[in-house]
Amino acid sequence: KSKKWRLEPEGERLLDGLSPQQRAAVVLFYFEDRSIAQAAIVMGLPENTFKTHLHRARASLADALGADKELS
């Protein structure tokens, strides 16, 4: 069964801060529960390139979350 995720406005804002490729990588891997290989095929990328987009997305999200905590 696929999981149906609904993001809170904060999550939407964080995803909006990513590049289109990074956002697609996050959605395919985490929200659509695809494997690295499947997600890379969907995006038309080599697996290592997909992994790079996912890694950069994670780093951007971590930075954004850290900045939000500092502002609180």
Side-chain angles (χ1 to χ4, degrees):
K1 293 181 179 180
S2 67
K3 299 175 188 172
K4 296 292 181 189
W5 290 91
R6 186 174 153 258
L7 283 178
E8 297 294 326
E10 176 71 9
E12 290 283 347
R13 185 185 66 75
L14 290 170
L15 285 181
D16 286 345
L18 300 175
S19 73
Q21 289 178 318
Q22 291 172 353
R23 187 170 41 252
V26 167
V27 169
L28 289 169
F29 188 73
Y30 290 107
F31 295 93
E32 294 187 10
D33 201 28
R34 295 181 187 249
S35 68
I36 297 283
Q38 291 170 335
I41 289 169
V42 169
M43 290 183 67
L45 299 171
E47 285 186 32
N48 284 336
T49 303
F50 175 83
K51 288 179 188 178
T52 298
H53 289 302
L54 189 59
H55 174 77
R56 289 179 180 164
R58 289 175 181 148
S60 292
L61 291 170
D63 287 346
L65 287 169
D68 282 353
K69 287 183 180 178
E70 290 174 12
L71 294 175
S72 298

